[in-house]
């Protein structure tokens, strides 16, 4: 299992195959779990809304949530979340993943698709401070 933790200067506001490794970025104390979901990264998640093939893991993870919330394109087994229904929160999450640390093998797995990710959003109150992405 590869667990990746991503923090960001910007905050989010609320509006089981074998594992492949681990990498993380530290965070502050006093935070709690705000939301969590598991999603399958399938072929539709690998292309932007305009059809362009995505080449970065953070783009794919964001597109998965846009497909789920905005376009209703859900893969079998995708779970919902209340956090990334907001386009603004999806944009901040993309920056958190982009600016965090991700091993090359995890990034390749997400960009290739046909993997499951579990995303956990941590924060304080209604403000997200970091996300943890587990790639299976």
């Amino acid at each position: 299992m590869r667990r990746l933790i991503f923090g960001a200067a910007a905050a989010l506001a609320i509006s089981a195959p074998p594992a492949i490794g681990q990498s993380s970025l530290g965070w502050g104390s006093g935070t709690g779990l705000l939301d969590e979901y598991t999603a399958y990264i399938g072929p539709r998640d690998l292309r932007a809304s305009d059809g362009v093939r995505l080449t970065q893991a953070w783009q794919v993870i964001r597109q998965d949530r846009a497909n789920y919330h905005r376009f209703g394109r859900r893969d079998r087994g995708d779970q919902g979340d209340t956090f990334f229904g907001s386009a603004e929160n999806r944009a901040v999450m993309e920056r958190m993943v982009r600016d965090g640390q991700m091993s090359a093998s995890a990034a390749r797995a997400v960009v290739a698709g046909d993997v499951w990710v579990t995303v956990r959003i941590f924060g304080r109150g209604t403000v997200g401070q970091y996300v943890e992405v587990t790639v299976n």
Side-chain angles (χ1 to χ4, degrees), residues 69-128:
H69 288 288
R70 182 172 180 202
F71 303 114
R73 298 180 198 144
R74 299 172 180 166
D75 292 303
R76 184 178 303 233
D78 278 358
Q79 294 177 342
D81 68 276
T82 58
F83 213 80
F84 295 120
S86 153
E88 294 80 20
N89 283 354
R90 290 192 300 272
V92 173
M93 184 260 294
E94 178 180 321
R95 287 191 303 273
M96 291 173 123
V97 175
R98 179 193 67 211
D99 296 341
Q101 299 174 4
M102 179 177 281
S103 71
S105 63
R108 279 191 306 272
V110 170
V111 171
D114 193 26
V115 296
W116 288 90
V117 295
T118 298
V119 178
R120 302 174 82 200
I121 303 98
F122 291 88
R124 190 179 282 178
T126 61
V127 177

Side-chain angles (χ1 to χ4, degrees), residues 1-8 21-29 31-33 61 92-103 106 118-123 128-135:
M1 182 179 309
R2 176 158 301 215
R3 183 164 290 144
L4 310 152
I5 301 172
F6 305 101
Q22 183 172 345
S23 177
S24 67
L25 179 68
W27 64 90
S29 62
T31 59
L33 180 65
I61 293 169
V92 173
M93 184 260 294
E94 178 180 321
R95 287 191 303 273
M96 291 173 123
V97 175
R98 179 193 67 211
D99 296 341
Q101 299 174 4
M102 179 177 281
S103 71
T118 298
V119 178
R120 302 174 82 200
I121 303 98
F122 291 88
Q129 296 175 317
Y130 65 94
V131 295
E132 174 186 278
V133 179
T134 304
V135 181

